[in-house]
Amino acid sequence: MTIKLYCFGESGNAYKAALTLELSELEWEPVFVDFFNGETRSPEFRELNPMGEVPVMIDGDVTLSQSGVIQDYVSSKSGKLGGRSANERREILRWQFWDNHKMSSVAGTTRFLMNFLPEDKRPAEVIAFNQARLKGAYKVLEGELSSRNWLVGDAITLADISCCGYLFYSEPFGFDRAEWPAIDAWLTRISETPGWKHPYDLMPGSPADRA
């Protein structure tokens, strides 16, 4: 049975789940969610996910939301991307929790404020505060990747997929790859992984579709 992932291209959190599915080589298909026209706030979608968020994954009788949970399920089912030991598994979780709290949540909010709100409604002080927080997160990531190719172990894992989720998007939110050489090299390694796709190629929906 084909796994269905409810998602849209602009969502970095959905991208984490979609890229995990793609690299796991499980059979899956994206289901477009029209976020910008309010679909996640509709009663129908709330029945699917009361949290009103993407991604949502359906695999037969299993319905899951939250990207980290979906990643864990996909890794367990496919036997891929989850580390090679209990210690590596804990390290992956540590990076996923860190990313969700310190980087993705801030990057996603900042990117939305800077690109998807009308210019006269973009809160400059909030954006500046968030960008300062993001700079601290980039420093942590840069430091770790200065001495290793991957965040956990010697191959790409869920940790890398989680932490890269927003960094492949071109819309400005306070991240310039050229300023972070270790992160830049890591992103290149990820993009050279067989099966990798850019979020706008992997999931339906992009700013160009709404232009």
Side-chain angles (χ1 to χ4, degrees):
M1 181 175 293
T2 300
I3 296 172
K4 296 184 182 298
L5 185 72
Y6 288 75
C7 58
F8 61 98
E10 291 97 330
S11 171
N13 286 318
Y15 181 51
K16 299 173 194 179
L19 186 58
T20 300
L21 281 162
E22 191 72 10
L23 297 185
S24 75
E25 299 184 315
L26 295 177
E27 185 178 344
W28 75 285
E29 63 182 19
V31 179
F32 176 62
V33 176
D34 194 354
F35 171 83
F36 288 97
N37 282 315
E39 185 174 349
T40 57
R41 298 188 296 276
S42 69
E44 294 79 10
F45 190 86
R46 294 285 176 152
E47 288 185 11
L48 182 66
N49 180 12
M51 296 178 181
E53 300 173 333
V54 298
V56 178
M57 185 210 75
I58 298 180
D59 183 18
D61 295 333
V62 177
T63 299
L64 297 173
S65 64
Q66 299 297 314
S67 59
V69 176
I70 294 170
Q71 286 186 302
D72 180 74
Y73 176 88
V74 171
S75 177
S76 296
K77 182 167 183 170
S78 68
K80 298 179 180 181
L81 304 168
R84 298 176 181 175
S85 67
N87 183 59
E88 286 192 1
R89 173 69 183 138
R90 286 189 292 270
E91 277 294 292
I92 289 170
L93 285 172
R94 188 171 74 98
W95 279 108
Q96 287 179 301
F97 293 154
W98 174 85
D99 168 67
N100 288 344
H101 180 58
K102 296 290 188 179
M103 193 160 69
S104 281
S105 60
V106 186
T109 300
T110 308
R111 178 168 159 266
F112 182 84
L113 295 176
M114 292 180 66
N115 298 278
F116 303 131
L117 281 182
E119 286 193 37
D120 61 345
K121 294 184 178 180
R122 297 174 186 174
E125 291 184 357
V126 174
I127 290 170
F129 176 82
N130 283 354
Q131 288 181 330
R133 290 188 64 196
L134 283 170
K135 187 173 183 180
Y138 303 149
K139 286 181 179 179
V140 171
L141 200 58
E142 180 76 10
E144 292 292 321
L145 291 167
S146 294
S147 59
R148 66 184 73 177
N149 286 338
W150 306 103
L151 288 174
V152 178
D154 58 3
I156 189 171
T157 67
L158 301 180
D160 303 289
I161 298 172
S162 184
C163 290
C164 82
Y166 277 92
L167 303 184
F168 281 110
Y169 286 96
S170 59
E171 298 89 5
F173 58 91
F175 174 68
D176 182 350
R177 284 178 62 162
E179 296 177 358
W180 308 97
I183 295 176
D184 178 54
W186 169 70
L187 291 174
T188 297
R189 285 190 290 276
I190 293 173
S191 67
E192 291 174 346
T193 300
W196 178 87
K197 293 180 182 178
H198 187 275
Y200 292 146
D201 295 324
L202 190 56
M203 301 178 291
S206 73
D209 295 335
R210 295 180 289 105

